[in-house]
Structure formats: C-alpha cells, structure tokens
Amino acid sequence: MQTIDSDPPIHFIQNIIAEDLKTGKYDGRVHTRFPPEPNGYLHIGHAKSICLNFGLASRYSGKCNLRFDDTNPSKEAEEYVRAIEEDVRWLGFDWDDRLYYASENFDQLYEFAVRLIKKGKAYVDALSPEQIRAYRGTLSEPGRDSPHRDKSVEENLDLFQRMRVGEFAEGEKVLRAKIDMASGNLNLRDPVMYRILKSPHHRTGDKWCIYPMYDFTHGQSDSLERITHSLCTLEFEDHRPLYDWFLNELNIYRPQQIEFARLNLNYTVLSKRKLLQLVEEKHVSGWSDPRMPTLSGMRRRGYPPEAIRDFCERVGVSKSNSTVDFALLEHCVRDNLNRTALRAMVVVRPLKVVIENYPEDHAEELTAENNPEDSTAGSRKIFFSRTLYIERDDFMENPPAKFFRLVPGKEVRLKYAYIIKCERVIKDENTGDVIELRCTYDPETKSGHSHASRKVKGTLHWLATTHAEPVEVRLYDHLFRNENPTADEKEYPDLQSSLNPDSLESIRGAFMEPFLKTAASGDRFQFLRMGYFCVDNESSAPGAPVFNRTVTLRDTWAKIAKKSPRRR
Ligand code: ATP
Ligand code: MG
C-alpha cells in the first residue's frame, strides 16, 4: 500500500508555477488564496482546495490568504465565518495576518464599476431578471441587446448612483457589463455586475443595498491581494474570459486563473445547498453530525486532520472530473489511527460468560499492550474474573463452517488471558434467547507464558464484569443508500427516501474498560476487533464519554486496490 510520500508527484499546477518561477512572471512570488463563501460549513471537497492552495504556498515559500467571498448577504452569516476559520486551522493551515473579506472591497469595487461606466463599458439595465434571461439567448442562438444598452455615460452614472442610495426596488435595475450579446460564451453576454439586495450584510450592515456579483468581485479581489495563481474548480473555466476582461478593462494587476477538477466522493453529496437541506430538514443533527461530509462532522466522527491531508494528497490534482471511492478516505483514516490510537477493550453487545472453574471473588491482573504499532506506547493493567462479558456476535450455537469464534464444546482464546471452552448454554425460558454461557478455562494457557503455546483459531475481546463500566457507543454507516445520490434523484425525488435509514445506531448497553471514563473529548482509540472510536465532542460529559465509531477495521480499499492496483 502507498504510504505518505514526502515528495508527491508533480501535478499540472506545479508545472505551471515552476515555469512562472523560471520566467519570473510574478517576480518569483507564489501567492494563492482559499476563497470560501460563508454560506455553509466546509466539506471534504473544500479540504482538497485548502490543501492545494495552502500546500502550494508552503511548498514554494509563498503565501496563502483566507478570503471570505461574502457578496450574497441573504445567505451568509457570521456563524459560518467562525466555523470556516476553525476548520481551516484544524486541518493544519494558517493564514497568519492574511484574513480578508471581499466585502472590505465594496468601496473599491463601486469605484471600479464607475470607472467602467465612464469608459462606456457598463450600463444600468431596467429589464426584469426574467427578461434578461430571455434576452440572453442560448448556446445555439445569440442574445439580443437590451433596449437600455445605449444610454449615455451621464445617465448611467446617475442611475447607478441612485441604485446605490436605494431609490429602486430589488430586481428593478441592475448594472451590466457591456461586452457582446452575440458572444459564443454566455458569460460574456453583458453579465450582471451589481444587483439590488435590500438585505443587511453580516459585515457591512446597512451600508449597501447593491451588491457586486461573484464574477465582478472575485478577480478584482484576487488582483487587490496581488494573488499570483487563482485556483478554482472546472465550472469556472468558462468564466475565465470574463475574469480577464474585467481586469484588462480596469487595467489593474492580473493574476492567472487556473481550473482543476473538483472532488466528488461516492455515497455522499458535496453541495452546500444539499447539505443545508439535510440540516434544515433535520435528517441530521446539524452541520457537524458525524455522518456529514463536513470537516466539523469528520472531526466529531474522529477523522484525524493528518488523514484528510493524506487523502487529498493521494487523490491528486487533475483537469478531469471523477468520483473518488469513500473507501480510500477511510483507508487513510485507518492508516493514521493504526499508528496513533491507543487500544482498549469494549464489548458493544454484551453476553455474560461464567467461568465455572475460576474462583469467586478473585480479580487477576493481566497486562495489555497499548499499541502494538508504537513501541513507546507501553502497556496497562486489565483484570480477569469469574464472570465476563464477550461480544454477543462472537458466540453461535449452530455456527456455519469457518466460524472461528465461540461455539458449544469448542475453545477460543480471550485476548491477553486464557483459552476458554464453552460447556453449556443458558437460555431464557420464554424467548429461547441465549442469556449466559457456562465455560471453563485452562489455567495452563495464560497469555505470555512459555507453556501457553497451544493454538486455537479464534481470539476474542472481553471484559471482566467486575471491571467494566457502562457506556454509549454510536455506530455509523453511509448517509445515503446508494453510491451516487445525485444520480438517484430521479428514483428518489425527495431527499428522505434516498437516505440510508440505518446510518446511525446508538447502543447504550455497551461496556468499556474503566480507564476510558477519563477519556477527553476528541480522544481516539481502537476498540479491539470493533473499530476505531472517538469521544464525541457534543454529547459526552466529564467521566461519561460517548463514543462515535470513526471507522471499522475492515479495509475495503486495500481489497479494491489489490484487485485493480492501478486505481487510486
Ligand atoms: P457549493 O457548490 O457546495 O456551494 P462552492 O464551490 O460554492 O461549493 P465555495 O465556498 O465558493 O463553495 O468554495 C470555496 C472554494 O472551495 C472554491 O475555490 C471552490 O472551488 C472550492 N471547492 C468547493 N467545492 C469543492 C470540491 N468539491 N472540490 C474541490 N474544491 C472545491
Ligand atoms: Mg462558490
């Protein structure tokens, strides 16, 4: 399997930067930015962009800004600003003192707009939004000029000024760039630069009732911040001519826009609109629900930031869209946690076992490894006693072939302890359910002792009932039933029915080793044979952790990769 590579392969953007450094295009500077709109929480797709932008800056000793692209006050909020900052920091990146808001440029952008009006390159239009759409034409038909296109500069300046002071209602007027209604690129058919929005802004308050559109904001903000390489996703390829047009017409410093393929992941959606819908319709507990593909959800679930960065590295950067297997992300999480997580024993669905030949009222101290992958992790004490819990699934009365766990009359090893044999099964008289196993142990088989070499096929985790604390654990599965939730929209037009009804299982009757009581919020462990778990940062209380299963131990990616080794 691939490991973390300190010197990953060169991708096309690095080639571009290397060339620019060679020719001195930006005086040897590399300056990128990550430009989220504060209208939702960051998701794993954003992580790709964050790792790319901050990663390039650090690789080429450059800088990366964090810039909030806050031009749509009706959808944006301070809550999102704070969450985005927290998530970028958590991922391991730092913008130092380079925190910007596009809204800080509103005065400058207004002045830029006036400049274009004066050049005869922008005009105030009175067509309604519907009319503008109708006049725009289609990919096969040219658009038509607005009847308001040829007003004088003075008239346009006056109207724009009156838009600014609030004389018109929303939708009554817009400012448009005067480019070419017959352009083959729809983005160049006199795009709207400013619209009237009578909403207060989370940063500028009531100062403005006109707001610049994304296309009239983004490039100029890049220019004002003297960005060198403005990286964005492929959907913006057709916007690049407009990006360049504004900067050329304004005759200001020009960064280079470069597009790359966005990250798509199966079994989930990466659209803020859909994620917001999941939150608003309460299909999840919030943006940081552990099933969400948000960074806050993944943090709460227990994904280490290093694993997410490793994932983004392995996914790479290209020009063609594709969908990445969720199993690869989970593989990266396991790879990290296998090295870093302390081991513990937790019995999720307990079945009581009585060792009939073991003395009553005796607690025997045994030694358990904290992490076999980490020689510095040390060991801890665990206790064995006459009554134990094992996992209910680890016993079968009538097992199929190759069931190497506990069955009547057969032996199994208890990890760090003894080999036990199942002698009798006790059932509930009414329901017939197995409620207890009567076993014997072989005192000659204590783990770690030289004469303990007798081999049995299965090894189980367990807890002494005298040294077990009750705990709640939460098990998760994919939020959506099918691999491609977006393609399923036809089959399941409402979100509800495309969701996996079994994506969350909360189990309150589990037991844990007592030391886990002191685990702190966010601590991660491997519960032997059950998976990696993390202390929930919302519902845990001091001394009473609730554990989220981060990921199971079964690495489906390793299997897929073996079958088709070239797939990444
Ligand atoms: P959405 O379409 O979900 O609302 P967005 O692209 O509008 O997402 P922004 O806040 O504008 O969200 O995104 C900030 C940056 O993150 C942009 O540069 C955008 O290109 C990048 N980004 C967003 N989604 C992805 C993704 N799936 N893969 C890679 N980069 C992404
Ligand atoms: Mg966007």
Side-chain angles (χ1 to χ4, degrees), residues 33-37 39 43 45-46 48-49 231-233 235-236 260-263 270-273:
R33 83 287 171 268
F34 172 63
E37 181 178 356
N39 63 351
H43 54 60
H46 293 115
K48 175 174 177 177
S49 175
L231 314 180
C232 62
T233 42
E235 319 83 271
F236 291 98
F260 65 95
R262 67 192 290 118
L263 174 72
L270 295 182
S271 136
K272 279 190 276 188
R273 187 177 55 79

Side-chain angles (χ1 to χ4, degrees), residues 153-166:
V153 167
E154 289 65 37
E155 206 178 338
N156 281 316
L157 284 174
D158 175 61
L159 285 169
F160 188 46
Q161 203 281 126
R162 287 162 59 197
M163 276 172 69
R164 178 185 184 162
V165 297

Side-chain angles (χ1 to χ4, degrees), residues 378-427:
S379 62
R380 69 185 184 287
K381 297 293 169 209
I382 57 171
F383 290 88
F384 192 79
S385 72
R386 181 179 158 89
T387 57
L388 310 170
Y389 294 124
I390 65 165
E391 208 66 57
R392 190 160 273 282
D393 289 351
D394 283 338
F395 171 78
M396 276 187 96
E397 201 173 9
N398 302 299
K402 299 201 172 158
F403 182 81
F404 298 127
R405 294 174 262 171
L406 195 57
V407 300
K410 292 275 169 58
E411 291 189 321
V412 80
R413 174 169 286 286
L414 297 183
K415 183 81 178 169
Y416 301 124
Y418 299 96
I419 289 174
I420 63 166
K421 182 176 175 189
C422 177
E423 309 286 353
R424 267 180 311 126
V425 180
I426 295 177
K427 294 183 184 173

Side-chain angles (χ1 to χ4, degrees), residues 410-460:
K410 292 275 169 58
E411 291 189 321
V412 80
R413 174 169 286 286
L414 297 183
K415 183 81 178 169
Y416 301 124
Y418 299 96
I419 289 174
I420 63 166
K421 182 176 175 189
C422 177
E423 309 286 353
R424 267 180 311 126
V425 180
I426 295 177
K427 294 183 184 173
D428 182 301
E429 281 177 8
N430 300 318
T431 63
D433 292 343
V434 176
I435 51 174
E436 188 178 305
L437 302 178
R438 291 276 161 167
C439 297
T440 51
Y441 87 117
D442 179 349
E444 298 300 313
T445 58
K446 188 164 168 173
S447 286
H449 286 229
S450 51
H451 52 273
S453 55
R454 182 144 59 96
K455 286 272 188 292
V456 289
K457 281 233 163 92
T459 301
L460 309 185

Side-chain angles (χ1 to χ4, degrees), residues 116-280:
L116 291 183
I117 295 173
K118 286 183 178 161
K119 272 184 89 175
K121 297 290 183 176
Y123 62 97
V124 173
D125 200 352
L127 291 185
S128 68
E130 298 73 38
Q131 288 172 313
I132 289 180
R133 220 168 296 131
Y135 274 67
R136 191 163 56 203
T138 62
L139 281 174
S140 51
E141 273 171 55
R144 278 176 295 144
D145 286 359
S146 163
H148 311 285
R149 197 173 195 255
D150 291 316
K151 288 192 300 287
S152 69
V153 167
E154 289 65 37
E155 206 178 338
N156 281 316
L157 284 174
D158 175 61
L159 285 169
F160 188 46
Q161 203 281 126
R162 287 162 59 197
M163 276 172 69
R164 178 185 184 162
V165 297
E167 271 189 36
F168 307 110
E170 285 187 13
E172 209 180 322
K173 299 261 191 273
V174 288
L175 182 72
R176 299 179 71 176
K178 194 170 176 177
I179 309 180
D180 178 6
M181 288 306 291
S183 171
N185 184 337
L186 290 171
N187 293 300
L188 295 180
R189 294 187 187 171
D190 291 10
V192 173
M193 293 163 57
Y194 268 89
R195 78 277 205 213
I196 298 168
L197 271 179
K198 303 213 165 167
S199 312
H201 186 280
H202 63 105
R203 303 275 310 171
T204 59
D206 292 328
K207 178 169 175 190
W208 298 90
C209 63
I210 57 171
Y211 290 93
M213 301 296 288
Y214 170 87
D215 280 323
F216 188 65
T217 310
H218 198 82
Q220 284 76 279
S221 301
D222 282 347
S223 174
L224 293 166
E225 292 171 27
R226 299 194 74 74
I227 299 303
T228 56
H229 302 85
S230 174
L231 314 180
C232 62
T233 42
L234 287 178
E235 319 83 271
F236 291 98
E237 195 161 17
D238 289 347
H239 294 240
R240 183 166 14 103
L242 180 57
Y243 181 103
D244 291 340
W245 188 89
F246 282 129
L247 297 176
N248 282 336
E249 290 298 335
L250 291 166
N251 194 22
I252 55 178
Y253 166 83
R254 201 175 113 187
Q256 177 64 49
Q257 176 179 307
I258 302 167
E259 307 85 18
F260 65 95
R262 67 192 290 118
L263 174 72
N264 300 303
L265 205 53
N266 61 5
Y267 291 106
T268 193
V269 293
L270 295 182
S271 136
K272 279 190 276 188
R273 187 177 55 79
K274 294 213 179 91
L275 296 177
L276 179 65
Q277 193 186 348
L278 288 169
V279 172
E280 285 184 336

Side-chain angles (χ1 to χ4, degrees), residues 251-353:
N251 194 22
I252 55 178
Y253 166 83
R254 201 175 113 187
Q256 177 64 49
Q257 176 179 307
I258 302 167
E259 307 85 18
F260 65 95
R262 67 192 290 118
L263 174 72
N264 300 303
L265 205 53
N266 61 5
Y267 291 106
T268 193
V269 293
L270 295 182
S271 136
K272 279 190 276 188
R273 187 177 55 79
K274 294 213 179 91
L275 296 177
L276 179 65
Q277 193 186 348
L278 288 169
V279 172
E280 285 184 336
E281 293 179 5
K282 300 201 188 311
H283 300 298
V284 293
S285 64
W287 285 97
S288 58
D289 185 295
R291 295 164 292 177
M292 289 283 269
T294 52
L295 295 182
S296 52
M298 290 182 174
R299 171 164 67 242
R300 189 171 165 200
R301 178 86 172 252
Y303 287 22
E306 297 81 3
I308 295 177
R309 297 204 303 264
D310 177 27
F311 169 73
C312 292
E313 193 82 61
R314 294 191 203 206
V315 163
V317 181
S318 84
K319 272 268 185 200
S320 53
N321 278 314
S322 63
T323 299
V324 175
D325 206 315
F326 207 97
L328 174 60
L329 176 58
E330 295 191 325
H331 172 79
C332 296
V333 171
R334 283 186 196 100
D335 192 51
N336 178 281
L337 293 177
N338 181 42
R339 284 178 278 118
T340 56
L342 293 184
R343 272 51 171 177
M345 294 205 279
V346 167
V347 176
V348 174
R349 297 177 186 85
L351 174 61
K352 192 172 166 194
V353 170

